[in-house]
Every structure is written in C-alpha cells, then in structure tokens.
Amino acid sequence: MRDITTILLLALAPSVSFAPARGAAQQPAGPKPVQPARPLTLPTLRPPVADTGIFSPVPLPPPSGTRQADGTPGPSYWQQRVDYTIRATLDTTAKRLSGTETIRYANNSPDTLRFVWMQLDQNLFRQGSTGSLLFPSESRFGAAGFQGGLEIDSVSQCSGEAGKRGSGEAAKRPRKAKRSAAQPETSPLPRCPASRLRTRVDDTMMYVDLATPIPPGGTTVFDLSYGFAVPEHGADRMGRDGPLYEIAQWYPRMAVYDDVHGWNTDQYLGQGEFYLEYGNIAYEVTVPAGYIVAGTGALQNPADVLTGDQRSRLAAALKSDTTMHIVTGPELASGAARPVNQGSLTWRFRADNVRDVAWAASPEYLWDASGWEGVLAQAYYRPSAETTWREAAKMSRFSIQEYSTRWLGYPYPQISAVEGPVSGMEYPMLAMEAKSDDGPDLYNVLTHEIGHMWYPMVVGSDERRYAWMDEGFNTFINTFSEEGYWHRDDSAVRQRERQLVIGIDQTPTAQPIMTPANRYKTSSNLLSLAYVKPSIMLLTLRSKVLGPEVFDSAFREYTRRWAFKHPQPSDFFRTIEAVSGRDLAWFWRSFFYTTAALDQTVESVKQEPDGSGQVTLANLGDAVMPVELELGFDDGMTERVKLPVEVWYGGNRYGYPIKPGKTIVSARVNPDGTFPDAVPTNDAWKRPTTTATP
C-alpha cells in the first residue's frame, strides 16, 4: 500500500499551488463560502467545486406519495373530477350563443376548498384583454377587430346537504370511456336550495367565493347562466364563416386544482392552450333545423335529427373499412338531408371521461364515415372543399388505427374531422381543419389534430405551461403516421427540421423547450419549442441513444400510466429513465432545460507505422451526445464505430484507440447527418496529401 499511497500523493501534489490571491477572485459570481483568514505563509486554496456539469443530476421535484421516483402516479395520487350538463342555443341571426350549465364538482384533494376558479376564455375577445395587448388584431391569435366576451348572468351553488358529499371517492380514478354509440343521458342532478355566489372576474379567469366550502371527498353543484357573441376569428381556435360555426371555449370551465400548483390560474392569452379536469359531459345545442351538427361524444337522439336513411348508413359505416356517404350533395340540394327544414332542432350529445367538448354546425355539410374496430371515423365538409376532403374520412380512419396500434388504443366511440375557417385545432373526438391546398397538406394537419386525441386529450398535460408535452409529442408521433399513410421516407424533412431548430437556437431570442407557452418571444420560438425541437430530440433519443424498441416501450408506458391523469415533465423524464434503465440527465439538461449546442469534431488522427494509434475526438459545444465515427481506409473500405455518451465523462476530448492494421485516410463524426450537430463543417478529417519532392 505504501507505493500506491506515494503515487496518489504525487498525483495530488499539483493541486496545491502558490497561486496569487487574485485567483480566488476568478471564480464564478454567486454566494461564496466563508473561510477563516489564512496566514500569508500558507498556499492559497482553490475555490470549492460542485458537480454542476452536463452529467450532474437534473434538479427534479422530490418524489412524493402523489408522484413517485420512477414516474408513476403514487398511492396518494388524486385529481379533481368535473361533470357538466350544458344547454345552449345558437342564434344565427344575431350570431350569438346563450346557455345554461350545471357543474358537479368532486373535491378529491386533501384540502377544504373555500373558493374556486373558473375559466372564461371568451374574455380574450374583450377590449383591452391581456391577450389583445400581446397579439395584434390581425395576427393568428388576434380577433380581427372583434369585441366580445362572456356575459355571466348568474352563478349559484347548491348549498344543501346534497351538495356536500357524493362521488368524491368514486371519481378518483376515471372509468375508461365506452365506445357504445348509444349511452344514457346524464341523470337529473338532485335539486337543493341555491345560494347566489360572489364572483370577481380577472381577465379570462373568474374567482368564485363559495357559500358552502367543499371538504375533502365532498361534492358540490354550481348553476350558471351565460351568453356571448360568436367571434368570426376566434384566435384560430373557434369562429364562423358565413353560416358555418365552429364552437369552442363556449362555456365556463373549472380551472384545474392539482397537487403541484394548487389552483392553475394562468391567463388564456390565445397562444398558450388549455389545462382541464376530466369528467362526463352531457350537452345539447339548439340550431336552425337545416343545420348538421358534428360534436364531441356520441349523439343521443339520432331519431330526432337524422333521417332514417342517414341512421342506416351510419350503422353500416361503423362496420365498413371503406368510406360511405352519410349526407350527399344531391340530398343537400333537394332539402332531403334534414328530417325537417323549418324551425329548429336540438342535438344532444354525451361524452364520458373527457376534459372538454366542442362542436361545429353548418347547413352545407357533406358527411362521410367509415369504421375501425368499433370507432366511427367521420368527415364533415362543404361542397367547396370536396376536392381535398373526399379522402378525409379515410385519413381519419388511418390516423386512429396508426396511433392506436403503435401507442395506446383509442378510448372513444368516434372521431370527427370538420372543415371550416379554423386552420387546425383539436378537441376531444373533434378535429378542426381548413380546406387545405391538396391531399398531403390536408393529411399533415388532420393527422396532427387527431394525434392530439392522445396528447393532451387522453394524457392530460398542462398545455399552457408545457406546450411541448402535447404539441411536441404529437409532432413526434405524426412522423410515423405521415410516412405510413403516404408510404414515403421523410428523412429530408427531418434534416430541414434539425437545421431549423439549430438556427433558431442560435438567435438572440433563443429560449429553452421548458419555457411556458405564453412567454415565447417570437413565432419562430413557438414553432421550434412547442413542435419541432421536442419532436426532433425525441427522434434522436429513439434512434441514437435508446434504440427504437426501448424508446417505444418507455413512451407507451408513459402514455398508459398517465392516461386520464395530469403528468408533469418530471413524470415523463422519470418514466423514460425507469423503463430504459438509463440516466438521461445530460439529455434533458442539454436539449430541454437549455439551448446548449452540439458540436462534435475529429481533432486529429495519429498512427504508427504498424497502423496503431489514436483518433482524438473533441466536443466543442455545451451539449453532449453519443458518437458515431466513420473511418475510411487506404484500401477504400470504411468502418462505423459507435461510442456511448459516457466517453465524455472525462472531459471534452476522447482518444479512440486504433489497432494495428490499415492506414486511415479519413474520419468523420455524424456520418449520416442525423445528429443535431450545429457545425457540420468540422465533422470530417482527411489525411493531408503529400507530394514527392523532385
């Protein structure tokens, strides 16, 4: 042991230096440990060093009884449950919707609630709203000069005994939604004395002071009456075009109360989307008799609003793998598309285990449908869009099949793609798309919006804080859907996306993926941080780090365990690490928490006469990745070497040993160009050409 000890002492000796005191002032700014004064005759000690490198642990929230260390919901996990009964009338002359709603709110939290918050999204279109100050009127998230807002006529609470306790325990874990097309309507809620409540509206949120607090495990009932003028351009998430209406954010909704933030009261500004509770929703909409309505959920009264032929066609379409016409052009032209053409009709829908409902209505809708394993895939479009939309039902069916087969079975009875003024927006069982220029353009948007049925409609993440957990995940799964439908290789598209992300990350306004959606500085950041960069990085993690089999298993497990729940980013990170068995702190830190750039290079190649030697690799960026190294030899042959990310544990240089043999004439990292390397021009090394001296 003496010899080993001597060696260790000699190795450590250089760390004790007699550097001048100014060296201590060169440490990074920040809190400094207080040290006792040292005699001037003693050497200066170096400042303390912490493990803050790229491989150090990411500071995730500590595990708890609600969210466990392996990313699973804990034994104490809870979330609130909200059931709605809504009745609304659309006045197409006044372009106005008026309605009433009853909300049954189950408090599954361990807290007594003395007040609640509700979301009034239509207030985005009030003059002077925060969103209107951030986004110009004619921009995508503007209102095109429209001034509206939600008008609340009354808010009351059922304050009797029936409202105090109820389905709290039963609501902790929502039931899997059934696919049956015929479900009973919501049972009438027990009536009790109602107390009118005091409210305070704060932009798009409303504080409601309760007359009766809701204890843990308790249930209460709210009744509301409201109305609003329908905007023509509703921030590209709802609106109208002539007689066609796409209706969303159309009823006061409960804000989420969760174990992480308590009440989630971030304002709706147009850009950041939604975070909602799960429950059952029964709703009815009264529209002019000539209108056809497509909506979230299962139609409850087809005999009242459809003709006998239409009902028969729907039943046949559910069992057909080819598209069938439910409402045809000649029927629209003759008036035979509707059971009556005068007055109004009320359409009744029910949706179980959903976080929202939306609908579209038009007197000009053609209607197609087909089925896949009990799911009805439907398309509604005007004759003016028939050229591109005639394949929409087929596209919808393929999308449902692709995502169900690859990730998680679709839990709802139908999907409806509806054509209209909204360029692309998703709601449970309802996907809004514009006319589109051609088939590929329509499919890209349609399969994207249908992909949202999984993220965030089933996996209920917080879109407003973490847009990447729905838009990014969805863009990732769209990759396989688009290639599968068109039977094509989109590698060139992925390469352009990588370059887009790298370019945006090198701009002065660059931000990390973890930036909340409301705080994106530019529209380019919205595109990159919410959509493209998360997708590109997940594809890289899948193909370059974990491998497709391991990654897909982990992603499926995340989807399964957080279905109908509220995951946080830490739950996703921990799930991927638990299933893959890999510490990926370096990956999350590099590409999600920061804008670190990857820049790998071949610094040099040195060989002895027998061919042995070393290839020196350098990591010149702040991010790390595994290395793929291609060696070219003097006989024209090549060899591909894959090195794990751990080669960078020792620093930003790594020497790859070369065995005796052939002469290396070239070496290149990232040979197929699929790593997100910010500086590809320094990826390659070539042996200098020597010329003989005459």
Side-chain angles (χ1 to χ4, degrees):
M1 290 296 293
R2 179 181 300 175
D3 292 340
I4 296 176
T5 302
T6 303
I7 293 171
L8 290 174
L9 288 174
L10 290 172
L12 291 172
S15 67
V16 180
S17 66
F18 290 86
R22 70 174 183 271
Q26 295 174 359
Q27 59 183 313
K32 301 177 183 178
V34 178
Q35 297 182 356
R38 294 178 58 79
L40 295 178
T41 57
L42 294 179
T44 301
L45 299 180
R46 294 183 63 82
V49 176
D51 183 11
T52 58
I54 195 68
F55 290 102
S56 62
V58 174
L60 300 178
S64 66
T66 54
R67 298 171 190 272
Q68 300 193 113
D70 67 347
T72 56
S76 302
Y77 178 81
W78 58 267
Q79 68 188 49
Q80 311 293 60
R81 181 185 177 89
V82 186
D83 299 324
Y84 297 86
T85 301
I86 310 167
R87 296 176 176 85
T89 298
L90 177 64
D91 184 337
T92 55
T93 301
K95 300 178 178 60
R96 180 178 176 81
L97 184 142
S98 57
T100 62
E101 70 173 324
T102 298
I103 305 173
R104 188 180 187 94
Y105 187 86
N107 179 18
N108 297 321
S109 81
D111 309 318
T112 295
L113 303 181
R114 302 183 184 279
F115 61 87
V116 300
W117 283 90
M118 296 185 183
Q119 305 183 57
L120 311 181
D121 299 319
Q122 286 295 318
N123 284 357
L124 174 66
F125 310 115
R126 278 186 173 180
Q127 184 176 11
S129 72
T130 304
S132 70
L133 300 175
L134 293 177
F135 298 101
S137 178
E138 298 303 321
S139 69
R140 178 184 177 188
F141 301 120
F146 178 85
Q147 294 183 11
L150 201 61
E151 301 160 15
I152 304 294
D153 299 321
S154 64
V155 181
S156 61
Q157 179 186 14
C158 180
S159 56
E161 195 65 28
K164 290 183 179 178
R165 304 197 66 83
S167 59
E169 286 299 316
K172 283 187 178 179
R173 287 178 169 77
R175 302 188 311 271
K176 183 177 180 181
K178 297 179 180 178
R179 290 180 176 174
S180 170
Q183 299 190 27
E185 295 186 40
T186 300
S187 302
L189 293 168
R191 308 312 303 162
C192 60
S195 300
R196 194 177 182 92
L197 301 179
R198 291 181 299 173
T199 63
R200 181 183 77 246
V201 174
D202 178 10
D203 205 21
T204 62
M205 301 296 296
M206 181 170 70
Y207 172 95
V208 181
D209 201 7
L210 300 183
T212 303
I214 315 171
T219 301
T220 198
V221 174
F222 301 104
D223 285 314
L224 295 90
S225 177
Y226 65 95
F228 64 92
V230 180
E232 184 173 11
H233 177 75
D236 203 26
R237 305 201 187 282
M238 52 91 64
R240 52 184 168 83
D241 181 19
L244 185 153
Y245 288 78
E246 291 181 315
I247 303 296
Q249 296 90 54
W250 60 289
Y251 58 99
R253 301 180 292 185
M254 297 298 302
V256 171
Y257 185 77
D258 64 23
D259 62 299
V260 179
H261 299 286
W263 286 109
N264 288 263
T265 56
D266 286 356
Q267 297 287 347
Y268 174 49
L269 306 181
Q271 180 167 271
E273 293 181 276
F274 310 105
Y275 185 31
L276 300 162
E277 302 283 19
Y278 287 97
N280 298 339
I281 304 179
Y283 67 102
E284 60 181 51
V285 293
T286 299
V287 297
Y291 273 65
I292 292 171
V293 179
T296 299
L299 181 63
Q300 299 296 293
N301 62 331
D304 298 335
V305 296
L306 302 179
T307 67
D309 286 344
Q310 290 163 359
R311 298 197 299 274
S312 298
R313 294 167 189 165
L314 274 175
L318 185 61
K319 301 177 181 179
S320 173
D321 58 3
T322 58
T323 300
M324 299 185 66
H325 302 302
I326 310 304
V327 173
T328 67
E331 289 173 331
L332 283 178
S334 67
R338 309 303 306 117
V340 295
N341 289 290
Q342 300 296 320
S344 62
L345 287 175
T346 298
W347 295 64
R348 296 184 173 89
F349 296 87
R350 177 185 171 94
D352 285 353
N353 217 5
V354 294
R355 46 178 253 161
D356 196 10
V357 291
W359 49 281
S362 172
E364 303 174 298
Y365 267 154
L366 299 169
W367 182 359
D368 296 338
S370 66
W372 180 78
E373 294 193 359
V375 178
L376 195 62
Q378 306 176 98
Y380 300 77
Y381 54 94
R382 292 169 290 187
S384 59
E386 185 174 6
T387 301
T388 51
W389 272 74
R390 62 164 60 102
E391 297 292 316
K394 176 184 176 182
M395 294 175 176
S396 300
R397 182 184 185 276
F398 183 90
S399 298
I400 292 293
Q401 179 180 359
E402 157 64 27
Y403 302 135
S404 293
T405 303
R406 192 180 296 270
W407 307 116
L408 181 75
Y410 187 65
Y412 297 124
Q414 60 95 4
I415 182 66
S416 295
V418 296
E419 179 262 334
V422 174
S423 66
M425 188 60 202
E426 71 283 355
Y427 302 97
M429 299 179 244
L430 190 79
M432 298 178 179
E433 290 87 27
K435 178 181 177 181
S436 294
D437 297 326
D438 52 39
D441 179 61
L442 176 61
Y443 187 80
N444 289 355
V445 180
L446 188 148
T447 199
H448 178 82
E449 305 310 336
I450 292 179
H452 276 304
M453 300 307 119
W454 280 260
Y455 316 97
M457 301 309 161
V458 170
V459 181
S461 61
D462 181 350
E463 300 177 87
R464 202 158 292 173
R465 278 191 177 89
Y466 307 114
W468 60 273
M469 293 184 73
D470 74 290
E471 297 294 357
F473 289 179
N474 191 27
T475 303
F476 163 73
I477 68 173
N478 298 158
T479 301
F480 309 101
S481 178
E482 292 168 15
E483 290 187 337
Y485 188 81
W486 298 110
H487 304 287
R488 70 189 187 202
D489 180 356
D490 283 343
S491 298
V493 176
R494 304 289 86 79
Q495 181 61 18
R496 290 195 295 271
E497 291 174 344
R498 278 188 288 273
Q499 295 307 311
L500 171 73
V501 167
I502 291 169
I504 292 173
D505 275 354
Q506 295 303 307
T507 62
T509 56
Q511 296 172 285
I513 285 176
M514 295 294 285
T515 305
N518 280 340
R519 293 201 278 110
Y520 295 151
K521 294 178 180 178
T522 66
S523 58
S524 295
N525 285 8
L526 167 64
L527 173 63
S528 178
L529 305 182
Y531 297 81
V532 184
K533 186 175 181 180
S535 173
I536 286 297
M537 296 322 303
L538 292 179
L539 288 167
T540 304
L541 183 62
R542 181 180 188 265
S543 63
K544 300 298 187 180
V545 181
L546 301 181
E549 183 179 354
V550 172
F551 178 90
D552 290 357
S553 176
F555 201 71
R556 278 193 292 268
E557 176 60 14
Y558 164 76
T559 305
R560 183 201 65 79
R561 63 173 52 166
W562 287 100
F564 307 108
K565 296 181 177 68
H566 296 317
Q568 294 289 309
S570 57
D571 301 314
F572 173 69
F573 298 152
R574 284 172 164 148
T575 296
I576 299 299
E577 291 188 356
V579 177
S580 69
R582 299 288 295 275
D583 180 355
L584 297 170
W586 59 271
F587 186 86
W588 313 128
R589 175 178 283 104
S590 295
F591 304 109
F592 285 73
Y593 283 93
T594 75
T595 60
L598 178 70
D599 182 17
Q600 297 177 348
T601 187
V602 179
E603 191 171 81
S604 65
V605 178
K606 295 182 179 179
Q607 283 184 288
E608 299 297 330
D610 66 353
S612 64
Q614 177 176 283
V615 177
T616 300
L617 306 173
N619 193 73
L620 304 181
D622 294 315
V624 293
M625 274 283 185
V627 178
E628 291 187 3
L629 173 65
E630 186 177 82
L631 302 175
F633 299 99
D634 55 0
D635 62 358
M637 302 297 290
T638 61
E639 177 186 349
R640 183 74 61 92
V641 178
K642 294 187 178 182
L643 302 172
V645 72
E646 287 82 1
V647 299
W648 305 116
Y649 275 0
N652 59 8
R653 279 174 174 76
Y654 174 75
Y656 175 67
I658 309 168
K659 296 179 181 180
K662 296 179 289 186
T663 299
I664 296 174
V665 296
S666 66
R668 175 184 291 275
V669 293
N670 191 23
D672 62 4
T674 55
F675 279 104
D677 193 303
V679 188
T681 54
N682 67 355
D683 288 355
W685 172 92
K686 285 190 176 181
R687 182 172 294 280
T689 302
T690 58
T691 57
T693 302

